[in-house]
Amino acid sequence: MWTTFSNQPAVLGVTTVIAGLSVIWVFRKIARKHKRNQLRKQWNNAGKDVVVLHQFIRGKYCINLSPFAVKVESFLRLADIKYVVDSQLPFGPKGKCPWITLNGEELGDSELIVQKLSEYFKVDLDSHLDTRKKAQLETVRITADEFVFWFVITWRYWIDGCESFLKSQSFSSFLNVMFPLFMKRGIKVKARYQGIGHHTPDEIYGMAKRTCGALADVLGDDPFFGGEQPSTADCSVFGQLSQLMWNAPGSQYEALVTEVYPSLREYCNRMKEKIFPDWNKLLNPPLE
């Protein structure tokens, strides 16, 4: 006599689980879309020609953990463009932070944002510069946005494992635990694809030191990279250096700006005072 064992209940159970997860996924997707539509109505009510700057929440010592958010906000202030800040949806149409909404149009990538705003509002922060100086400062901008950036995030998230960085943020207890778990592995993979991740921590620090030294040499005795007044490139440089100055407490990377190249420390403070006189009030929590 043969006995047949049916696996139908097991199959049914798996099917039920998959169906349940699918329903949850659909509902979450609908909920996110509804939330975005509701927020979009708020953003559209900001007013004509008012930029909505979408970025991460403020930090304890620096106005943002994203150097590109600091870059865009610095540009907005230097260009005297009216804006409001939204921190509910920090990632935009290209999956990047920051991004902006302007008269219903969404735009991501800090450099494209600066170009778009310069054209739309007919702003030229580099009008006082000659052609040669503009070309030199474009090289400086690229150095900041494409080189200093990778030194910062590779050390911050992978090498240091967010240890120093978390001291500068006002995250919840849950995020303090989860943030390093996701970011360390994610940035390690991206850093290896970029190339910098194949180097040792000492080699990466050496590269960062030489790059900061080059920036200090270019700055020289001038108050800003644009000379007597900030240029578009200053927004990028300040955005990146702000991460070393205020978001790397007690580290050798902070010391690159505060001790090794003190002219960069003075530069950061000069930019902060000129562009963000309300810096302390913007912090989370605000400083009196």
Side-chain angles (χ1 to χ4, degrees), residues 159 234 257 267 285:
I159 298 175
D234 280 283
V257 175
Y267 166 76

Side-chain angles (χ1 to χ4, degrees), residues 3-23:
T3 302
T4 303
F5 294 95
S6 173
N7 63 353
Q8 188 174 12
V11 173
L12 182 61
V14 171
T15 303
T16 302
V17 171
I18 293 175
L21 292 175
S22 299
V23 170

Side-chain angles (χ1 to χ4, degrees), residues 1 8 58 121 130 212 246 267 269:
M1 179 175 181
Q8 188 174 12
R58 306 291 190 181
F121 290 101
D130 60 29
C212 286
W246 293 291
Y267 166 76
N269 285 326

Side-chain angles (χ1 to χ4, degrees), residues 63-246:
I63 58 172
N64 212 272
L65 63 88
S66 166
F68 299 108
V70 177
K71 167 186 174 178
V72 173
E73 191 165 7
S74 296
F75 176 83
L76 287 167
R77 292 198 170 202
L78 284 173
D80 197 24
I81 297 173
K82 188 175 181 180
Y83 73 98
V84 294
V85 172
D86 163 63
S87 299
Q88 296 190 66
L89 287 179
F91 293 104
K94 295 189 176 183
K96 291 185 173 185
C97 176
W99 59 289
I100 66 166
T101 303
L102 176 61
N103 299 328
E105 179 184 358
E106 299 178 356
L107 182 64
D109 188 273
S110 66
E111 193 56 26
L112 295 180
I113 290 171
V114 169
Q115 291 176 14
K116 169 70 175 183
L117 296 179
S118 296
E119 295 170 2
Y120 184 83
F121 290 101
K122 296 179 173 56
V123 173
D124 186 1
L125 298 184
D126 305 328
S127 60
H128 62 294
L129 305 173
D130 60 29
T131 303
R132 183 182 178 85
K133 186 64 174 178
K134 288 180 181 179
Q136 292 173 339
L137 289 186
E138 176 62 6
T139 302
V140 169
R141 181 198 68 77
I142 294 172
T143 298
D145 283 349
E146 303 297 337
F147 287 87
V148 178
F149 168 70
W150 278 102
F151 299 143
V152 170
I153 67 168
T154 300
W155 169 78
R156 174 193 286 178
Y157 298 123
W158 176 23
I159 298 175
D160 190 56
C162 300
E163 185 174 340
S164 297
F165 169 69
L166 288 177
K167 297 175 184 177
S168 68
Q169 303 303 306
S170 297
F171 291 162
S172 65
S173 298
F174 174 78
L175 200 54
N176 278 331
V177 174
M178 298 305 296
F179 200 80
L181 295 179
F182 286 99
M183 293 302 294
K184 186 171 183 177
R185 177 173 175 76
I187 294 301
K188 179 179 180 180
V189 172
K190 290 183 178 180
R192 287 189 178 279
Y193 277 124
Q194 193 272 347
I196 192 173
H198 293 283
H199 303 301
T200 67
D202 286 342
E203 289 171 338
I204 294 173
Y205 174 77
M207 295 176 185
K209 183 177 180 181
R210 287 193 295 275
T211 303
C212 286
L215 290 175
D217 288 341
V218 173
L219 179 63
D221 297 325
D222 290 334
F224 306 104
F225 283 87
E228 293 301 315
Q229 63 189 73
S231 64
T232 305
D234 280 283
C235 300
S236 290
V237 177
F238 179 59
Q240 301 298 335
L241 293 183
S242 68
Q243 304 306 303
L244 301 179
M245 180 80 173
W246 293 291

